mmCIF file of all heavy atoms in Angstrom:
data_model
loop_
_atom_site.group_PDB
_atom_site.id
_atom_site.type_symbol
_atom_site.label_atom_id
_atom_site.label_comp_id
_atom_site.label_asym_id
_atom_site.label_seq_id
_atom_site.Cartn_x
_atom_site.Cartn_y
_atom_site.Cartn_z
ATOM 1 N N MET A 10 -3.198 -14.034 5.190
ATOM 2 C CA MET A 10 -3.207 -12.817 4.341
ATOM 3 C C MET A 10 -3.781 -13.146 2.959
ATOM 4 O O MET A 10 -4.630 -12.447 2.425
ATOM 5 C CB MET A 10 -1.775 -12.258 4.239
ATOM 6 C CG MET A 10 -1.612 -10.969 3.465
ATOM 7 S SD MET A 10 -2.394 -9.561 4.268
ATOM 8 C CE MET A 10 -3.775 -9.231 3.220
ATOM 9 N N ALA A 11 -3.269 -14.243 2.385
ATOM 10 C CA ALA A 11 -3.721 -14.654 1.038
ATOM 11 C C ALA A 11 -5.196 -15.009 1.067
ATOM 12 O O ALA A 11 -5.949 -14.649 0.133
ATOM 13 C CB ALA A 11 -2.885 -15.819 0.542
ATOM 14 N N ALA A 12 -5.664 -15.648 2.139
ATOM 15 C CA ALA A 12 -7.092 -16.024 2.247
ATOM 16 C C ALA A 12 -7.944 -14.757 2.307
ATOM 17 O O ALA A 12 -9.014 -14.654 1.695
ATOM 18 C CB ALA A 12 -7.322 -16.908 3.471
ATOM 19 N N TRP A 13 -7.468 -13.763 3.076
ATOM 20 C CA TRP A 13 -8.195 -12.480 3.177
ATOM 21 C C TRP A 13 -8.290 -11.838 1.786
ATOM 22 O O TRP A 13 -9.358 -11.364 1.368
ATOM 23 C CB TRP A 13 -7.446 -11.561 4.155
ATOM 24 C CG TRP A 13 -8.101 -10.234 4.351
ATOM 25 C CD1 TRP A 13 -8.994 -9.859 5.336
ATOM 26 C CD2 TRP A 13 -7.905 -9.041 3.546
ATOM 27 N NE1 TRP A 13 -9.356 -8.534 5.185
ATOM 28 C CE2 TRP A 13 -8.702 -8.017 4.090
ATOM 29 C CE3 TRP A 13 -7.127 -8.746 2.425
ATOM 30 C CZ2 TRP A 13 -8.771 -6.724 3.544
ATOM 31 C CZ3 TRP A 13 -7.198 -7.454 1.876
ATOM 32 C CH2 TRP A 13 -8.007 -6.474 2.441
ATOM 33 N N ALA A 14 -7.156 -11.872 1.084
ATOM 34 C CA ALA A 14 -7.138 -11.239 -0.269
ATOM 35 C C ALA A 14 -8.099 -11.981 -1.198
ATOM 36 O O ALA A 14 -8.804 -11.350 -2.005
ATOM 37 C CB ALA A 14 -5.718 -11.268 -0.819
ATOM 38 N N ASP A 15 -8.137 -13.301 -1.107
ATOM 39 C CA ASP A 15 -9.063 -14.074 -1.964
ATOM 40 C C ASP A 15 -10.505 -13.667 -1.700
ATOM 41 O O ASP A 15 -11.314 -13.521 -2.617
ATOM 42 C CB ASP A 15 -8.896 -15.592 -1.717
ATOM 43 C CG ASP A 15 -7.588 -16.104 -2.310
ATOM 44 O OD1 ASP A 15 -7.008 -15.445 -3.207
ATOM 45 O OD2 ASP A 15 -7.149 -17.196 -1.877
ATOM 46 N N ARG A 16 -10.841 -13.482 -0.409
ATOM 47 C CA ARG A 16 -12.235 -13.107 -0.087
ATOM 48 C C ARG A 16 -12.578 -11.710 -0.639
ATOM 49 O O ARG A 16 -13.656 -11.516 -1.209
ATOM 50 C CB ARG A 16 -12.444 -13.110 1.455
ATOM 51 C CG ARG A 16 -12.502 -14.510 2.077
ATOM 52 C CD ARG A 16 -13.075 -14.444 3.478
ATOM 53 N NE ARG A 16 -12.278 -13.645 4.430
ATOM 54 C CZ ARG A 16 -11.188 -14.087 5.077
ATOM 55 N NH1 ARG A 16 -10.746 -15.315 4.876
ATOM 56 N NH2 ARG A 16 -10.544 -13.299 5.918
ATOM 57 N N VAL A 17 -11.635 -10.797 -0.536
ATOM 58 C CA VAL A 17 -11.873 -9.429 -1.025
ATOM 59 C C VAL A 17 -12.019 -9.449 -2.557
ATOM 60 O O VAL A 17 -12.944 -8.855 -3.126
ATOM 61 C CB VAL A 17 -10.743 -8.478 -0.592
ATOM 62 C CG1 VAL A 17 -10.862 -7.129 -1.239
ATOM 63 C CG2 VAL A 17 -10.758 -8.338 0.942
ATOM 64 N N ARG A 18 -11.135 -10.195 -3.211
ATOM 65 C CA ARG A 18 -11.203 -10.307 -4.666
ATOM 66 C C ARG A 18 -12.501 -10.979 -5.113
ATOM 67 O O ARG A 18 -13.081 -10.590 -6.132
ATOM 68 C CB ARG A 18 -9.984 -11.059 -5.206
ATOM 69 C CG ARG A 18 -8.717 -10.196 -5.243
ATOM 70 C CD ARG A 18 -7.532 -10.972 -5.756
ATOM 71 N NE ARG A 18 -6.474 -10.079 -6.149
ATOM 72 C CZ ARG A 18 -6.184 -9.704 -7.394
ATOM 73 N NH1 ARG A 18 -6.881 -10.164 -8.406
ATOM 74 N NH2 ARG A 18 -5.189 -8.866 -7.653
ATOM 75 N N ALA A 19 -12.962 -11.971 -4.346
ATOM 76 C CA ALA A 19 -14.203 -12.688 -4.727
ATOM 77 C C ALA A 19 -15.415 -11.740 -4.666
ATOM 78 O O ALA A 19 -16.384 -11.946 -5.408
ATOM 79 C CB ALA A 19 -14.405 -13.878 -3.813
ATOM 80 N N ARG A 20 -15.315 -10.722 -3.832
ATOM 81 C CA ARG A 20 -16.413 -9.739 -3.775
ATOM 82 C C ARG A 20 -16.319 -8.702 -4.885
ATOM 83 O O ARG A 20 -17.087 -7.759 -4.958
ATOM 84 C CB ARG A 20 -16.361 -8.965 -2.425
ATOM 85 C CG ARG A 20 -16.640 -9.826 -1.202
ATOM 86 C CD ARG A 20 -17.048 -8.946 0.006
ATOM 87 N NE ARG A 20 -15.984 -8.043 0.442
ATOM 88 C CZ ARG A 20 -15.134 -8.321 1.405
ATOM 89 N NH1 ARG A 20 -15.183 -9.474 2.066
ATOM 90 N NH2 ARG A 20 -14.218 -7.426 1.774
ATOM 91 N N GLY A 21 -15.269 -8.824 -5.709
ATOM 92 C CA GLY A 21 -15.060 -7.893 -6.814
ATOM 93 C C GLY A 21 -14.450 -6.589 -6.369
ATOM 94 O O GLY A 21 -14.471 -5.575 -7.100
ATOM 95 N N GLU A 22 -13.833 -6.581 -5.182
ATOM 96 C CA GLU A 22 -13.219 -5.356 -4.668
ATOM 97 C C GLU A 22 -11.736 -5.345 -4.995
ATOM 98 O O GLU A 22 -11.113 -6.384 -5.142
ATOM 99 C CB GLU A 22 -13.447 -5.239 -3.144
ATOM 100 C CG GLU A 22 -14.918 -5.061 -2.833
ATOM 101 C CD GLU A 22 -15.194 -5.088 -1.329
ATOM 102 O OE1 GLU A 22 -14.243 -5.075 -0.527
ATOM 103 O OE2 GLU A 22 -16.391 -5.107 -0.980
ATOM 104 N N THR A 23 -11.153 -4.122 -5.031
ATOM 105 C CA THR A 23 -9.742 -3.987 -5.375
ATOM 106 C C THR A 23 -8.896 -3.763 -4.103
ATOM 107 O O THR A 23 -9.383 -3.182 -3.125
ATOM 108 C CB THR A 23 -9.510 -2.822 -6.338
ATOM 109 O OG1 THR A 23 -10.137 -1.651 -5.785
ATOM 110 C CG2 THR A 23 -10.066 -3.111 -7.719
ATOM 111 N N ILE A 24 -7.660 -4.201 -4.198
ATOM 112 C CA ILE A 24 -6.723 -4.111 -3.075
ATOM 113 C C ILE A 24 -5.531 -3.270 -3.488
ATOM 114 O O ILE A 24 -4.977 -3.489 -4.567
ATOM 115 C CB ILE A 24 -6.212 -5.520 -2.665
ATOM 116 C CG1 ILE A 24 -7.371 -6.454 -2.291
ATOM 117 C CG2 ILE A 24 -5.187 -5.456 -1.560
ATOM 118 C CD1 ILE A 24 -6.998 -7.907 -2.174
ATOM 119 N N CYS A 25 -5.129 -2.348 -2.642
ATOM 120 C CA CYS A 25 -3.909 -1.594 -2.896
ATOM 121 C C CYS A 25 -2.933 -1.848 -1.749
ATOM 122 O O CYS A 25 -3.317 -1.702 -0.578
ATOM 123 C CB CYS A 25 -4.189 -0.090 -3.057
ATOM 124 S SG CYS A 25 -2.711 0.843 -3.549
ATOM 125 N N LEU A 26 -1.717 -2.233 -2.081
ATOM 126 C CA LEU A 26 -0.689 -2.531 -1.070
ATOM 127 C C LEU A 26 0.230 -1.326 -0.894
ATOM 128 O O LEU A 26 0.648 -0.714 -1.884
ATOM 129 C CB LEU A 26 0.157 -3.736 -1.528
ATOM 130 C CG LEU A 26 1.403 -4.067 -0.701
ATOM 131 C CD1 LEU A 26 1.045 -4.493 0.713
ATOM 132 C CD2 LEU A 26 2.216 -5.163 -1.395
ATOM 133 N N VAL A 27 0.530 -1.009 0.357
ATOM 134 C CA VAL A 27 1.592 -0.053 0.658
ATOM 135 C C VAL A 27 2.685 -0.814 1.420
ATOM 136 O O VAL A 27 2.539 -1.089 2.605
ATOM 137 C CB VAL A 27 1.043 1.127 1.533
ATOM 138 C CG1 VAL A 27 2.164 2.146 1.776
ATOM 139 C CG2 VAL A 27 -0.148 1.787 0.900
ATOM 140 N N PRO A 28 3.767 -1.193 0.737
ATOM 141 C CA PRO A 28 4.818 -1.921 1.425
ATOM 142 C C PRO A 28 5.679 -0.959 2.262
ATOM 143 O O PRO A 28 6.083 0.095 1.747
ATOM 144 C CB PRO A 28 5.671 -2.521 0.288
ATOM 145 C CG PRO A 28 4.967 -2.200 -0.968
ATOM 146 C CD PRO A 28 4.059 -1.045 -0.720
#
Side-chain angles (χ1 to χ4, degrees):
M10 184 67 251
W13 181 93
D15 287 340
R16 286 196 298 278
V17 172
R18 281 179 164 260
R20 293 200 297 266
E22 294 175 8
T23 52
I24 301 168
C25 187
L26 171 65
V27 183

